[in-house]
Amino acid sequence: MASVPNVCGGGWAETKAAYRLLDNARLDFREVLRAHSVPTLERIRQQSRVLCLQDTTELDYSGWPSMAGLGRLNYEQRQGLYLHPTLVISEAGVALGVTDCWHWARLPKGEPDLAESLRWVEGYERVAEMAALAPETRLVYVADREGDLRALIDRAEQLGFAADYLIRVQHDRKLNDPLDGKLRAAVEAQPVLGTIAFDLPAGGNRPARQVTQTIRLARVELKTRSGPGPQVTVILAREEAPPEGQEAVEWCLITNEEITTLEQARARIEWYRKRWWIEVYFRILKSGCRIEALQLRTRERLERALVLYLIVAWRILMLMTLGREHPEWCCEVVFSVEEWQTAWAIHHRTPPPATPPDLGTIVRIVAGFGGWLGRKNDPPPGPKALWQGMTKLSAYVEAVTAIRAAEIKFPQRKRIRH
């Protein structure tokens, strides 16, 4: 997880080959991502329901002014790209793959540009297309407030809700009723259906704590200029009594599905909480893969590198989430024989066992290479420990492979007593 020369252990020849690959105009980054989407689709088909998480992050390359093809970020002096991927996870939270990615550079101010909101609508359309390829699996499009677009809601209805959507409300939309009411007032007028409780992890200056929310539901029809409008279910999850000095946790969500019970609402709240995995994914891309440090001179080279790093970052997230949800699985579902045997030998200083150990064991060993201490009350390994651990493991495997290939035997040296 470093610069191209640093990850090319074969020296200048390997580094030059990597740059030639990134400079090859015949290498279409879309085809690379499509190749990753094929096994991702197979993993999706094994699930009864998956969550398709979408969000946008900016990539700041202001430090590399010589790179061509960049656009302004929030102001002209900051140059870079915007990235909008679709990360697919299981209901349990296991990262299954990346199936789509918008990326774009803004034009200078004053020049006509595409409406950036299109990325959300087209993102839903790609999810709907994928749903047709996995008819036994229900796909759910999950987005934060920026995805609260009437165009997306209308498009989902036009496509017959090929995929469900679950979106956090940003706009208090008008309803199609005689009183011309609004969405939030309609759900707040409903009685409390029940409560849910969950542990909120620490973040920023916020300590970890338990959150209890009340749940209200309303089925409403959005206003149109003429005729019936789309119907949505509004879920209001509100923390009524937050601890002193802490901001209340409140989410107002809309979905095309008709939700009537507390259990159904609780499931949707859990799905929305898993949207956080795409934030973790962005952290891996930026801090682990260090994609904002790439110095590739042209946007075309950068696009080819980015799609490779999208897949690398997914593998780290998959390793973390799969190790948490299914630690009992055989480690060879993720690690090659060379990887787990090398990890075992270096950690235990003993030959590896004949039977592959479970996944949780090898994940903890690899995380230990990255600085995870594994004390009794420590949480499961996080992304930083795993990306650093995988970086070291790849170096260990390369060294062991080279030693075996060269049949190097190191001479035994007698200890010198002083």
Side-chain angles (χ1 to χ4, degrees):
M1 304 279 191
S3 65
V4 173
N6 281 340
V7 298
C8 294
W12 171 239
E14 189 172 315
T15 302
K16 191 174 181 180
Y19 280 124
R20 282 178 174 171
L21 175 68
L22 298 178
D23 207 30
N24 187 347
R26 290 180 295 177
L27 178 63
D28 188 339
F29 69 88
R30 300 173 190 84
E31 292 300 322
V32 176
L33 188 58
R34 196 169 292 123
H36 169 68
S37 297
V38 172
T40 299
L41 181 60
E42 290 305 311
R43 290 187 284 270
I44 289 172
R45 286 171 173 161
Q46 296 171 17
Q47 307 291 323
S48 59
R49 181 182 278 108
V50 297
L51 310 179
C52 303
L53 314 179
Q54 289 195 4
D55 205 355
T56 305
T57 189
E58 63 176 28
L59 304 180
D60 187 353
Y61 294 102
S62 302
W64 321 116
S66 60
M67 191 181 300
L70 302 180
R72 60 183 176 86
L73 297 177
N74 56 339
Y75 55 89
E76 292 289 347
Q77 286 70 28
R78 295 184 69 236
Q79 294 287 299
L81 299 174
Y82 285 93
L83 195 68
H84 185 88
T86 301
L87 174 68
V88 182
I89 67 171
S90 69
E91 273 193 276
V94 175
L96 303 177
V98 182
T99 59
D100 184 34
C101 186
W102 253 60
H103 62 269
W104 72 98
R106 285 176 174 169
L107 296 178
K109 271 191 174 182
E111 294 190 20
D113 210 343
L114 286 174
E116 293 181 1
S117 60
L118 283 175
R119 69 190 186 274
W120 298 98
V121 181
E122 286 199 8
Y124 178 86
E125 291 174 343
R126 299 292 84 75
V127 170
E129 290 170 1
M130 188 165 52
L133 302 175
E136 301 301 318
T137 305
R138 194 60 188 169
L139 278 65
V140 184
Y141 175 98
V142 183
D144 209 359
R145 284 174 287 199
E146 197 176 355
D148 181 16
L149 301 168
R150 183 59 185 268
L152 190 155
I153 295 170
D154 291 341
R155 185 59 176 149
E157 187 174 41
Q158 292 166 7
L159 295 175
F161 304 113
D164 298 318
Y165 60 77
L166 182 68
I167 303 171
R168 188 173 179 184
V169 171
Q170 179 176 7
H171 305 291
D172 193 10
R173 302 184 184 279
K174 289 185 178 182
L175 304 183
N176 203 15
D177 63 27
L179 299 178
D180 206 23
K182 289 197 173 183
L183 183 148
R184 183 174 284 273
V187 70
E188 288 180 340
Q190 301 302 311
V192 172
L193 189 64
T195 62
I196 64 171
F198 55 86
D199 293 325
L200 185 70
N205 296 324
R206 183 194 66 210
R209 61 183 176 89
Q210 189 178 67
V211 171
T212 300
Q213 293 177 317
T214 58
I215 301 296
R216 290 178 172 85
L217 296 176
R219 186 73 174 172
V220 299
E221 183 179 306
L222 300 183
K223 188 174 182 62
T224 57
R225 293 181 179 177
S226 61
Q231 291 193 340
V232 299
T233 300
V234 191
I235 306 171
L236 180 62
R238 173 185 288 162
E239 186 181 24
E240 304 288 354
E244 185 177 354
Q246 295 292 317
E247 184 178 354
V249 179
E250 178 179 312
W251 299 314
C252 187
L253 311 174
I254 57 171
T255 175
N256 61 289
E257 296 183 277
E258 188 167 357
I259 306 301
T260 58
T261 69
L262 180 62
E263 285 304 312
Q264 291 173 330
R266 179 181 286 113
R268 274 69 188 172
I269 295 297
E270 288 300 315
W271 297 351
Y272 180 75
R273 290 182 60 217
K274 288 183 174 61
R275 197 202 68 83
W276 178 247
W277 284 129
I278 198 166
E279 305 290 350
V280 177
Y281 180 67
F282 288 152
R283 181 185 168 203
I284 296 171
L285 274 172
K286 293 184 178 184
S287 298
C289 299
R290 299 185 63 218
I291 57 175
E292 290 177 307
L294 294 173
Q295 303 178 50
L296 296 175
R297 296 187 179 274
T298 69
R299 178 177 169 181
E300 290 73 24
R301 288 181 179 178
L302 183 60
E303 288 173 339
R304 298 180 189 111
L306 284 178
V307 73
L308 298 176
Y309 280 115
L310 285 172
I311 299 169
V312 170
W314 160 76
R315 187 166 189 257
I316 297 297
L317 186 61
M318 180 269 294
L319 181 61
M320 182 181 77
T321 54
L322 194 62
R324 293 183 181 188
E325 294 299 326
H326 299 288
E328 75 284 358
W329 285 8
C330 174
C331 68
E332 289 188 354
V333 301
V334 175
F335 295 97
S336 67
V337 174
E338 293 78 11
E339 286 176 331
W340 76 257
Q341 288 186 347
T342 300
W344 181 281
I346 290 176
H347 177 74
H348 290 287
R349 298 292 194 269
T350 61
T355 302
D358 60 61
L359 178 62
T361 297
I362 300 302
V363 167
R364 290 191 295 271
I365 289 174
V366 172
F369 296 157
W372 183 70
L373 299 178
R375 296 165 297 191
K376 184 176 180 180
N377 295 322
D378 282 349
K384 184 176 181 180
L386 284 171
W387 79 58
Q388 292 180 342
M390 286 298 293
T391 300
K392 288 186 178 181
L393 179 60
S394 64
Y396 295 153
V397 170
E398 187 174 353
V400 169
T401 302
I403 289 171
R404 287 175 177 171
E407 296 183 349
I408 298 174
K409 295 184 178 179
F410 295 99
Q412 297 291 325
R413 296 181 62 185
K414 293 182 178 181
R415 293 185 63 184
I416 300 175
R417 298 178 181 271
H418 295 283

